[in-house]
Amino acid sequence: MKLNITCIPGDGIGPEIVAQAKKVLDKVAEVYGHEMEYKDVLMGGCSIDAYGVPLTQETIDAAKSADAVLMGSIGGNTSTSPWYKLEPSKRPEAGLLGIRKALNLFANLRPAYLYPQLSEACPLKEEAAAKGFDMLIMRELTGGLYFGERFTKEVDGEMVATDTLVYKESEIRRIAIKAFEVARKRRKSVISVDKANVLDSSRLWRKVVEEVAKDYPDVTLEHMLVDNCAMQLVREPSQFDVVLTENMFGDILSDEASMITGSIGMLPSASLNDTSFGLYEPSHGSAPDIAGKDIANPIATILSAAMMLRYSFNLDKEADSIENAVRKVLEDGFRTVDLMQTSKGEGFTQVGCKAMGDAIVERIVNL
Ligand code: IPM
Ligand code: MG
């Protein structure tokens, strides 16, 4: 099969981690007899430097003409980078939000799984880590606070900033359907997270999710307030299967979920629309402080490439082979520095970004 992939390496550690994911994909292609065709385009800070804007029409077109997009990360140090002196709509993040919207990528899947090999690295109490967890955060990605009207103006002699949180029924319904569909293929449980004790948008969210649930009698639905969810994630993460939530809550909860897997460098993501097209990126940011040092953890990006094979190309065995190889490197004791810091005990080998990529490549086999 020929796989037509547009790559957006981006800023910071982005180019390093995408290079490792490509290496792994190339090995998969060799082992399973596929052909990879990559086209690299700019987005974020590097696009600002080259073209004055974080997202060009050329990048949108290149994404649209591919079967899938593999992304690294965008953005720089928000207090020192000149990109953050620009007006907000010209900053790197605006590129990412722009492409999500332009491609209608409303469903963001962020699986947080505690590899048994990393239970030592999990910062939770031993009992919680021993039980393990395997959840999928289904984050709404093109609505809510991120895309509502916002402005700052002077009112009665002081500055007032406004951000609006808007959700339409149709936006809630389509993401809820995605959550119930994926729950059916997992442990058949959806926990919908909102702030219905305060927000109108959350009350509508709850109502629509309950309507959708009627079409899925085999899946159980529970509602949880977001503050409680943040607490439950560190108390008893094993209770979660599919976590359905709006854009901003999903942003925050997915960082929390990634940290309890041992490192923020472990969490992949898929951003999907209603077709098989998707944009795949690690859930973490561009980590400008460690960029170019060959110490970043490429695993989240490599696992994002596995999600790409599964969701955009229906290549389940190939995706399994990547996930399997990741499990093996962890089993064999390879750790990038982020994982090394949290791994207690002996028998670990600290490796850089490239060496981690190589170790995973070596373990890709035809299953
Ligand atoms: C993420 C990131 C982005 C977001 C930023 C970079 C705009 O934090 O993908 O989680 O908030 O969605
Ligand atoms: Mg985030």
Side-chain angles (χ1 to χ4, degrees):
M1 178 175 185
K2 189 163 171 192
L3 288 73
N4 178 7
I5 302 164
T6 288
C7 294
I8 304 180
D11 309 315
I13 59 172
E16 302 165 53
I17 54 183
V18 167
Q20 302 317 307
K22 277 187 184 169
K23 237 164 50 181
V24 172
L25 284 171
D26 287 340
K27 180 65 185 283
V28 169
E30 185 195 312
V31 168
Y32 286 90
H34 300 299
E35 198 188 324
M36 301 286 171
E37 194 169 301
Y38 306 110
K39 179 181 165 102
D40 281 9
V41 291
L42 301 182
M43 192 176 89
C46 54
S47 174
I48 297 174
D49 292 344
Y51 308 115
V53 288
L55 176 64
T56 58
Q57 190 59 42
E58 192 203 356
T59 290
I60 295 176
D61 292 343
K64 279 189 176 159
S65 69
D67 301 316
V69 176
L70 180 66
M71 207 192 110
S73 50
I74 52 96
N77 184 318
T78 49
S79 40
T80 56
S81 163
W83 299 329
Y84 296 91
K85 298 213 164 59
L86 300 167
E87 65 163 277
S89 67
K90 300 224 163 76
R91 292 179 192 170
E93 285 72 11
L96 181 57
L97 301 188
I99 200 164
R100 286 173 178 170
K101 197 72 171 179
L103 303 174
N104 195 26
L105 303 170
F106 65 87
N108 185 217
L109 284 63
R110 299 188 162 184
Y113 168 70
L114 180 62
Y115 284 86
Q117 297 84 358
L118 288 184
S119 66
E120 282 288 302
C122 171
L124 302 181
K125 278 201 178 143
E126 238 172 84
E127 310 91 79
K131 270 196 196 163
F133 56 84
D134 178 359
M135 73 184 87
L136 181 111
I137 298 182
M138 179 68 76
R139 168 188 177 194
E140 200 291 324
L141 202 60
T142 51
L145 272 173
Y146 278 62
F147 292 94
E149 205 190 336
R150 70 179 95 255
F151 51 89
T152 305
K153 64 174 184 190
E154 199 181 313
V155 179
D156 297 334
E158 63 178 337
M159 297 310 287
V160 178
T162 304
D163 295 281
T164 45
L165 201 181
V166 183
Y167 268 110
K168 292 187 208 159
E169 266 184 274
S170 54
E171 291 173 316
I172 303 169
R173 184 162 293 111
R174 64 184 183 177
I175 187 77
I177 290 172
K178 286 261 186 201
F180 281 96
E181 288 291 331
V182 20
R184 257 192 183 153
K185 297 191 194 127
R186 295 173 48 99
R187 301 195 306 280
K188 299 190 169 48
S189 144
V190 171
I191 294 188
S192 174
V193 176
D194 62 38
K195 188 71 186 170
N197 53 347
V198 178
L199 303 175
D200 257 25
S201 55
S202 284
R203 289 187 271 268
L204 182 63
W205 183 275
R206 233 178 232 220
K207 179 169 164 280
V208 175
V209 171
E210 271 168 17
E211 283 166 18
V212 172
K214 291 198 185 104
D215 295 333
Y216 298 85
D218 52 324
V219 178
T220 60
L221 167 68
E222 239 181 89
H223 301 283
M224 193 179 273
L225 296 173
V226 63
D227 47 352
N228 183 29
C229 180
M231 190 262 282
Q232 295 297 338
L233 272 175
V234 291
R235 198 187 69 90
E236 180 74 68
S238 64
Q239 68 187 288
F240 296 102
D241 178 16
V242 176
V243 177
L244 164 64
T245 194
E246 64 93 52
N247 204 345
M248 178 76 137
F249 297 159
D251 178 45
I252 298 167
L253 295 174
S254 61
D255 264 25
E256 187 184 359
S258 68
M259 198 54 225
I260 57 171
T261 66
S263 161
I264 193 166
M266 295 298 296
L267 209 87
S269 92
S271 304
L272 309 175
N273 57 24
D274 261 330
T275 71
S276 62
F277 178 86
L279 181 147
Y280 300 83
E281 55 167 326
S283 296
H284 60 72
S286 60
D289 50 322
I290 61 162
K293 296 187 177 157
D294 190 37
I295 57 171
N297 182 352
I299 293 181
T301 316
I302 290 169
L303 291 173
S304 301
M307 289 186 89
M308 177 178 81
L309 296 179
R310 201 182 293 289
Y311 290 103
S312 285
F313 298 101
N314 243 326
L315 297 173
D316 283 336
K317 268 219 302 202
E318 287 82 342
D320 287 347
S321 78
I322 296 182
E323 288 161 2
N324 213 42
V326 168
R327 211 167 296 128
K328 282 236 167 68
V329 281
L330 296 174
E331 219 161 77
D332 293 345
F334 290 93
R335 299 285 186 271
T336 40
V337 62
D338 51 317
L339 292 171
M340 197 73 179
Q341 279 160 357
T342 45
S343 294
K344 294 165 223 120
E346 314 243 299
F348 301 118
T349 313
Q350 186 170 325
V351 289
C353 181
K354 279 197 197 108
M356 180 58 103
D358 290 338
I360 294 172
V361 165
E362 274 166 32
R363 287 162 180 76
I364 298 283
V365 289
N366 198 329
L367 294 176

